[in-house]
Amino acid sequence: MTWFLLFSDKVPNRLKSMILFILIWWILSLFMSPNILPGPLVTVKAFLENDAQQVLFNVRMTMQRISMGFFFAMVLGLSLGTMMGLSRTLETWLDMWVMIVLSTPGLVFVVLSFIWFGMNEFATVVAISIASFPSIAINVWQGVKDVDSKLVDMARVFGASPQMRLKRVILPQIYPFFMASARACLGISWKLTALVELLGCSNGVGYQLNYWFQLYEMDQVIAWTGLFLIIVLSIELLVLNPIEKKLFAWRPEVRI
């Protein structure tokens, strides 16, 4: 049955890759100790033994931190990126500092935030926001700079209103950079949230990973890691992909 799914043309490639991953995982687990690499069934069984309410609570706390950090990072990154793209003066003032923040390890912002504000939710959101916004700012900055001014001038000559030029000419050229920014920011936010929860929180998915790591329960560690990945994948497939398809519906499909 498994081989039929892998070689069937009716099965989506994404599903094939997941089936192949689970198959390789299962094969490797046969040659390793359960303390090193438990199999898929053992991992699922271990996760189902957790209290459902506690699982939902920890997931909710993680999602809350990620959502707030992602929101403030997007606001700060979009604002700075747009201003740097539109103003050469602001670009020369800010580009160096944006690169410095981008190059600084996220752990530094986590530690500083905890020292300055204490181990609380506010410090968590501040750390995630500061560490995440440079990737957005750089993408948007380059997107604004790459807007084809000739297309804007042509739209003006044909009598398009400022609102129409923004909607039909300028924004479609920036959307690819915006989506790249959102994906990069979301990925960094997930990593920073797990790190923050591991170091200074008493709940969340990152805290659970650290808790089970200290008990050396590899099945639980892999189970919570898998839950983390499932949530990320769900956001990508159910939120970002539909948004991307809607924004880029006007573009013809490239065929090679």
Side-chain angles (χ1 to χ4, degrees), residues 6 11-24:
L6 286 176
V11 180
N13 289 332
R14 285 195 179 99
L15 182 57
K16 288 182 181 179
S17 65
M18 294 177 63
I19 294 173
L20 182 61
F21 171 78
I22 295 174
L23 181 62
I24 295 174

Side-chain angles (χ1 to χ4, degrees), residues 1-13 16:
M1 180 64 178
T2 301
W3 297 111
F4 171 76
L5 293 175
L6 286 176
F7 293 104
S8 174
D9 294 334
K10 298 180 180 180
V11 180
N13 289 332
K16 288 182 181 179

